[in-house]
Amino acid sequence: INPKPSIEPINGNLTEADGCDVITFAITVENKGGAPAYDVKVNDAVPSELEPDTGSIMVTGEQPVSSPTFTGQTLMATYQNFPPGKKSVIKFKAKVPASTELKLCRPAITNKATVEWASEKGATKFQSMDDVATVTFARPKITKTILSPSSPYKLPIGGIVKYEVKIQIPEG
C-alpha cells in the first residue's frame, strides 16, 4: 500500500510585503493514492520573523483528530485516518512586524510545511514531503529625475542642473 499525500500551495509566494501586513497561509493536504493514509502529521514551522495569529486557524475538508494548534511558532495537525481522494486545507494568518530592520537585513523569508504518514496505523512512516512559500519584503526605492534643463542636456561650463530625488519608503 502506498498512499501518496501531497502538500500544494494555494498561492505560492508573496512579494512586496511590508510592515504590519497580514499574510494568510494555506496548507493543502491531499491523499492522491488509492488507500488510506494513517498517522498523518502536518507541521509548519513559521519563521521567527513573522507573528502567527494563533486564533486564526481554519480547516476545511477532512478534519484532523483535534483542532490544529501552535506550539511556539510551529503549527501542528494530526489525522488518524486520511481517506484516498480526500483533501484538507489548513489556513492561518501571520503578521509582518513593523520593524524596518527585518526588511533591510533579510529581504525574503521562507515558510516550510511538512507532512508525514504511514500506510498502516502504527507502521513506519514514509519519508516526509514538504513545500515552501517565500515572502519577499518591499524595499525602499529611489528615483532621480532631471527637472531642468530639458533634453538634450547641453550645458555651458558652470551651468546649473536641477534634480528631483524621490524616496519611497515602505510601511513599517
Side-chain angles (χ1 to χ4, degrees), residues 5 14 16 18 25 36 59 62 74 80 87 89 107 116 137 155:
L14 174 67
E16 297 296 311
D18 55 18
F25 288 98
V59 180
E62 289 299 304
T74 303
Q80 285 183 347
K87 185 184 287 191
V89 179
E116 59 182 41
F137 298 107
L155 290 173

Side-chain angles (χ1 to χ4, degrees), residues 8-14 24-26 111 131-135:
E8 299 173 355
I10 288 181
N11 188 3
N13 301 318
L14 174 67
T24 300
F25 288 98
N111 184 31
D131 194 20
V132 298
T134 302
V135 176

Side-chain angles (χ1 to χ4, degrees), residues 24-134:
T24 300
F25 288 98
I27 303 166
T28 301
V29 182
E30 181 178 7
N31 183 345
K32 293 184 176 182
Y38 295 92
D39 303 327
V40 177
K41 291 188 178 170
V42 177
N43 290 307
D44 186 346
V46 179
S48 61
E49 296 89 349
L50 299 175
E51 301 166 354
D53 177 354
T54 58
S56 68
I57 303 169
M58 293 180 19
V59 180
T60 56
E62 289 299 304
Q63 297 294 310
V65 176
S66 59
S67 295
T69 58
F70 274 98
T71 300
Q73 292 284 118
T74 303
L75 172 79
M76 295 181 283
T78 302
Y79 303 81
Q80 285 183 347
N81 176 353
F82 206 103
K86 297 295 181 174
K87 185 184 287 191
S88 180
V89 179
I90 305 167
K91 292 183 181 181
F92 67 92
K93 295 179 181 182
K95 184 177 178 182
V96 177
S99 170
T100 54
E101 282 181 38
L102 173 63
K103 292 180 276 186
L104 297 175
C105 297
R106 290 192 64 188
I109 56 171
T110 301
N111 184 31
K112 179 177 168 182
T114 304
V115 64
E116 59 182 41
W117 72 98
S119 61
E120 295 179 2
K121 190 172 185 169
T124 302
K125 296 196 180 221
F126 291 99
Q127 181 175 350
S128 64
M129 296 177 68
D130 57 52
D131 194 20
V132 298
T134 302

